[in-house]
Amino acid sequence: MADILEIKNLTKIYGQGKENLCVLENANLTVARGTFVVLLGPSGSGKSTLLNLIGMLDTATSGEILLEGKDITKIKSETKRSALRLKKIGFVFQFDGLLPEFNLLENAAMPGLMRGKNETRRAQNLLDQLGVGSMSHKMPADLSGGEKQRAAIARALCNKPDLLLADEPTGNLDAARKEQVFKDFATLA
Ligand SMILES: Nc1ncnc2c1ncn2[C@@H]1O[C@H](COP(=O)(O)OP(=O)(O)OP(=O)(O)O)[C@@H](O)[C@H]1O
Ligand SMILES: [Mg+2]
């Protein structure tokens, strides 16, 4: 079976002309299925840039990104990119990105709903596991940063993504909770 992710000679240059900034230059990376990879680097080194390219939220300057052997940089249609993202990729952003008009449980179950599946029970179990199960009917505005971030993690996991991308997913969490999230990710992988 193909690796879940293979990045070949990936280059990303922001801007153009004299103002341009080359953030990734011929980057290569292979990630085997079922593994858990941590990207480390100083602020501004291009970690979020890379995750955004893999998640099809931004487009590369050159190079290939193979998701299960298929080059996603060749997919130009936003409809197709969105459909693939929904089916294969889970995201946890640095800031939670929850939908403010839905409660935590609805937020966590949202990717399933978008695929026509009711995954409310699974979403509730994940919220329980992450310690925010009792808050499932609260709205995001009424919760702390860490609580929201845990709900965002539940949402990403609920959809059983083939590839889970997490950009500083524990930034708002205390030390014990941080460690638990990494353990959960490793178990899941
Ligand atoms: N849309 C953009 N246009 C121009 N430059 C950008 C853009 N996004 C990011 N950059 C620049 O690209 C570089 C890499 O940014 P990126 O956000 O990938 O870093 P990072 O490693 O995630 O940093 P941090 O640890 O602070 O989150 C930075 O110098 C940043 O200023
Ligand atoms: Mg970043």
Side-chain angles (χ1 to χ4, degrees):
M1 202 167 11
D3 287 309
I4 184 73
L5 183 69
E6 200 178 343
I7 289 171
K8 294 184 184 170
N9 297 320
L10 190 66
T11 294
K12 175 66 182 178
I13 300 170
Y14 285 117
Q16 42 187 253
K18 281 196 182 130
E19 297 294 300
N20 69 18
L21 177 68
C22 182
V23 177
L24 299 172
E25 189 175 15
N26 291 317
N28 291 282
L29 172 73
T30 301
V31 181
R33 195 175 284 275
T35 57
F36 174 41
V37 174
V38 177
L39 286 174
L40 293 173
S43 177
S45 61
K47 305 177 296 292
S48 296
T49 298
L50 180 60
L51 290 174
N52 290 344
L53 293 175
I54 298 168
M56 294 181 280
L57 298 175
D58 196 2
T59 50
T61 305
S62 62
E64 296 175 9
I65 302 172
L66 308 181
L67 183 64
E68 296 178 317
K70 188 180 159 116
D71 187 1
I72 57 174
T73 65
K74 300 276 189 299
I75 308 171
K76 303 293 179 206
S77 143
E78 195 42 59
T79 312
K80 284 188 182 151
R81 287 159 72 91
S82 301
L84 191 65
R85 198 183 295 129
L86 180 62
K87 197 168 150 210
K88 301 272 180 195
I89 299 177
F91 262 107
V92 185
F93 295 101
Q94 186 165 5
F95 301 101
D96 60 81
L98 297 175
L99 300 171
E101 61 274 37
F102 294 95
N103 70 32
L104 282 204
L105 183 59
E106 290 161 341
N107 263 287
M110 191 59 71
L113 287 175
M114 291 172 69
R115 290 179 298 120
K117 291 195 174 147
N118 184 344
E119 288 170 346
T120 308
R121 181 171 301 206
R122 183 174 157 74
Q124 181 65 51
N125 285 341
L126 284 161
L127 290 171
D128 289 343
Q129 238 180 62
L130 288 154
V132 286
S134 65
M135 299 164 196
S136 60
H137 292 286
K138 287 198 168 184
M139 303 306 276
D142 301 331
L143 296 158
S144 77
E147 289 162 351
K148 282 187 281 193
Q149 202 163 29
R150 282 181 269 155
I153 292 170
R155 175 178 61 183
L157 297 182
C158 194
N159 205 25
K160 292 188 192 154
D162 292 281
L163 181 64
L164 176 65
L165 302 173
D167 194 350
E168 307 197 30
T170 59
N172 291 320
L173 303 183
D174 57 62
R177 200 60 83 175
K178 244 177 221 183
E179 196 170 321
Q180 190 54 48
V181 165
F182 278 111
K183 278 183 184 155
D184 286 347
F185 283 169
T187 307
L188 199 84

